[in-house]
């Protein structure tokens, strides 16, 4: 069964980490409503949503994607790149231990799950401000025994690899080539985000549907024109926190109830 781990919005989300965005007030009530709609969208696409309790003192904890890397065989718990976020892994790891054996990374490695784009047995990892070379090395050590190839990718001027590119399905990657070295992506069809929407590469592909933020209408039209089914959803309050649509869930298969 397709399972999506999410977490409720922290009331302290206005204290979130910001790296490339200027601070703008986040409407917490609106964020909660948008997150409920996001979870509802995942359910409508056939996922069982396991929604963890909010972490009141961890402003960014709704962005669960960054705090674990889940593949069929194992869940890798990283040392997250932002020190303020590291305690998030504790309760998330506990929740994931019901579904996967856990493997923990150790300092000096740092890595955020937003830097990890898996396409089949290939795992692309962004060399970003949050993920250091030792993080890539430790993820490689964790996943190589299961037959995954871990490939480092240079990213610049954005938070994570998945801010710069995301897999759409059908061998296609939606990308802003200004932000990422696409040489490691040779062999994939690269679909460039519209120049008017440079931040639109973060999209979430589930089964045959691609979830795209509704604030990027040109990208919605582009992805539809390329033959994908698109579901546009409003994540405006999370975009103010430098989040998008991939970061608010961890999606994997599990037979466990
Ligand atoms: C952070 O800076 O860590 C959060 N404010 C945003 C994290 C977004 N994560 C993601 O896109 N994977």
């Amino acid at each position: 069964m397709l399972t999506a781990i999410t977490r409720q919005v922290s009331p302290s989300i206005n204290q979130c980490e910001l790296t490339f965005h200027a601070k703008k007030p986040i409407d917490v009530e609106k964020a909660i409503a948008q997150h409920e709609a996001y979870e509802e969208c995942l359910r409508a696409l056939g996922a069982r949503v396991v929604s963890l309790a909010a972490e009141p003192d961890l402003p960014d904890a709704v962005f669960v994607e960054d705090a674990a890397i889940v593949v069929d065989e194992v869940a890798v718990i990283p040392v997250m790149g932002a020190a303020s976020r590291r305690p998030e892994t504790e309760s998330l790891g506990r929740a994931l231990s019901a579904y996967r054996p856990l493997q923990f990374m150790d300092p000096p490695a740092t890595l955020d799950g937003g830097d990890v784009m898996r396409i089949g047995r290939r795992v692309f990892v962004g060399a970003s401000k949050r993920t250091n070379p030792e993080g890539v090395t430790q993820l490689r050590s964790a996943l190589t025994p299961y037959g995954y190839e871990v490939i480092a990718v240079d990213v610049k001027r954005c938070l994570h690899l998945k801010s710069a590119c995301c897999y759409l399905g059908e061998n296609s990657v939606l990308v802003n080539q200004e932000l990422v070295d696409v040489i490691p992506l040779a062999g994939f069809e690269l679909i460039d985000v519209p120049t008017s929407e440079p931040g639109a590469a973060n999209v979430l592909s589930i089964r045959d549907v691609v979830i795209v933020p509704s604030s990027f209408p040109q990208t919605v039209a582009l992805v539809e024109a390329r033959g994908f089914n698109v579901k546009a959803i409003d994540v405006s309050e999370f975009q103010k926190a430098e989040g998008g649509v991939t970061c608010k869930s961890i999606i994997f298969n599990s037979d466990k109830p």
Side-chain angles (χ1 to χ4, degrees):
M1 174 185 277
L2 196 65
T3 301
I5 303 260
T6 61
R7 192 199 290 282
Q8 289 168 32
V9 178
S10 173
S12 63
I13 190 169
N14 273 287
Q15 274 72 60
C16 66
E17 292 283 339
L18 289 173
T19 308
F20 293 94
H21 286 22
K23 194 170 172 73
K24 285 191 198 155
I26 296 170
D27 180 331
V28 177
E29 290 308 312
K30 197 170 166 188
I32 290 170
Q34 288 179 350
H35 196 50
E36 281 170 5
Y38 174 85
E39 292 176 329
E40 205 39 55
C41 174
L42 298 181
R43 282 188 200 99
L45 296 176
R48 160 190 46 180
V49 175
V50 178
S51 182
L52 307 182
E55 288 275 14
D57 299 327
L58 299 174
D60 282 307
V62 69
F63 301 122
V64 285
E65 169 182 65
D66 296 320
I69 297 87
V70 179
V71 295
D72 286 347
E73 300 84 356
V74 68
V76 180
I77 306 298
V79 178
M80 298 178 71
S84 70
R85 299 197 57 188
R86 289 181 189 151
E88 293 176 23
T89 55
E90 199 180 308
S91 54
L92 183 65
R94 231 179 296 125
L96 283 170
S97 65
Y99 304 98
R100 296 288 190 272
L102 303 184
Q103 188 153 343
F104 292 87
M105 292 174 57
D106 295 308
T110 65
L111 183 140
D112 277 8
D115 275 316
V116 179
M117 176 176 72
R118 185 178 67 77
I119 305 178
R121 306 308 280 188
R122 273 179 291 178
V123 180
F124 297 94
V125 186
S128 70
K129 285 184 189 299
R130 298 284 175 91
T131 295
N132 66 13
E134 177 64 16
V136 178
T137 300
Q138 288 193 20
L139 188 66
R140 185 174 290 122
S141 302
L143 298 184
T144 301
Y146 302 108
Y148 294 92
E149 182 188 8
V150 171
I151 302 152
V153 184
D154 283 334
V155 298
K156 58 185 173 193
R157 302 204 317 273
C158 64
L159 189 58
H160 291 127
L161 176 64
K162 279 194 277 190
S163 322
C165 61
C166 282
Y167 188 60
L168 289 169
E170 305 290 334
N171 203 46
S172 301
V173 175
L174 183 68
V175 61
N176 178 340
Q177 297 198 34
E178 302 280 307
L179 307 179
V180 59
D181 173 16
V182 293
I183 289 172
L185 300 175
F188 292 103
E189 179 164 3
L190 301 182
I191 300 178
D192 294 307
V193 292
T195 47
S196 55
E197 295 177 351
N202 185 264
V203 298
L204 176 59
S205 186
I206 299 183
R207 299 205 161 125
D208 62 342
V209 173
V210 182
I211 300 174
V212 180
S214 54
S215 58
F216 299 127
Q218 312 277 349
T219 304
V220 170
L222 169 73
V223 177
E224 272 174 350
R226 299 302 290 251
F228 294 92
N229 296 319
V230 174
K231 171 81 183 151
I233 63 165
D234 188 1
V235 288
S236 61
E237 298 313 296
F238 300 96
Q239 288 170 320
K240 293 177 192 169
E242 238 167 303
V245 287
T246 65
C247 53
K248 301 197 305 149
S249 58
I250 300 175
I251 296 173
F252 54 88
N253 282 306
S254 174
D255 294 333
K256 293 211 175 136

